[in-house]
Amino acid sequence: AKLLTASLARAESASEVLRLYAEHGSAFNEIHLATCWSRLASTSQKEGRALSAGDLAPLRQQTVVLADTLGPRAIASTAHALARLGHFSGAGTSDGDEWDALWRALGVAAALRVTEEGGAAFGPQGLSLTAWAFAKASAGQAPPQALLDAIAVAAIPRLHEFKAQELANLAWAYGKSEHAAPALLDAIAAAASPRLDDFKSQELANLAWAYGK
């Protein structure tokens, strides 16, 4: 299992990742799935290549089936990769229903994990990436309300652990989704204010945009 994970992580092209999936996908566990999606996002962006629905259909279907078995880190990594790939819920494409099914399955699994296991299981990066991914992928639809409520509750007591980018991404996600979370946004502002020198210009812009919504 570790060798397969290492092979996926070292893959230098989307074609190589897809080949590894075709050869070993039936034996994938949650780490393999998350690593596969992440490498597909990274390699396809590097290549400037848009992956077709046909390329991704078997992996997408397998991820739907296994979504409720994924742990917090795998959920965060998979959702982040899908958002980077541009395969959004409600995107209006010929395979839009299939992507909707995947995002719904991940959203249900994520909300359950955050609620049951709390913020510690996801960590600051996992919470911010998950919120960012679902906000980005909503494509004009409301992201899962239960998930955003759960992330807000889990994040507030841990905001002192968040890096500047994670705070900015979290604030951006709630601004983008237009999901009311005044307690969270107040807490992010309080956490960010003493650390403004830690924020890059784009991160400050994201914060300002979120609070201007």
Side-chain angles (χ1 to χ4, degrees):
K2 290 183 178 180
L3 288 175
L4 180 52
T5 303
S7 295
L8 287 165
R10 288 196 304 266
E12 296 184 355
S13 69
S15 295
E16 185 178 356
V17 178
L18 291 170
R19 177 186 61 78
L20 287 167
Y21 177 74
E23 294 175 358
H24 305 286
S26 61
F28 269 23
N29 60 26
E30 64 167 341
I31 296 173
H32 299 140
L33 279 174
T35 305
C36 187
W37 282 114
S38 292
R39 288 307 296 161
L40 284 172
S42 296
T43 54
S44 63
Q45 287 184 346
K46 183 178 179 180
E47 297 166 1
R49 171 185 175 184
L51 298 173
S52 72
D55 287 335
L56 299 174
L59 178 59
R60 180 185 64 212
Q61 292 161 4
Q62 185 176 7
T63 308
V64 170
V65 171
L66 296 178
D68 63 356
T69 71
L70 299 182
R73 304 258 173 130
I75 289 171
S77 181
T78 299
H80 183 243
L82 285 167
R84 290 172 62 202
L85 282 163
H87 292 291
F88 299 161
S89 177
T93 59
S94 60
D95 60 339
D97 289 344
E98 286 80 5
W99 291 113
D100 283 347
L102 176 52
W103 281 105
R104 282 196 303 270
L106 285 174
V108 169
L112 184 64
R113 294 292 190 194
V114 175
T115 301
E116 290 187 346
E117 301 183 32
F122 277 77
Q125 184 181 53
L127 290 171
S128 65
L129 286 183
T130 302
W132 179 90
F134 277 89
K136 185 172 178 63
S138 60
Q141 299 184 5
Q145 303 301 295
L147 173 59
L148 293 182
D149 286 340
I151 289 175
V153 170
I156 288 173
R158 311 189 72 89
L159 290 178
H160 63 282
E161 302 172 7
F162 280 54
K163 297 176 182 177
Q165 183 182 32
E166 294 161 352
L167 288 172
N169 284 346
L170 192 62
W172 179 90
Y174 282 80
K176 174 69 173 176
S177 65
E178 299 184 349
H179 182 80
L184 174 65
L185 292 177
D186 286 349
I188 292 174
S193 294
R195 301 169 47 194
L196 292 179
D197 288 345
D198 295 341
F199 288 79
K200 297 177 181 177
S201 58
Q202 184 59 55
E203 293 161 357
L204 287 171
N206 287 346
L207 277 176
W209 179 87
Y211 285 93
K213 290 289 288 181

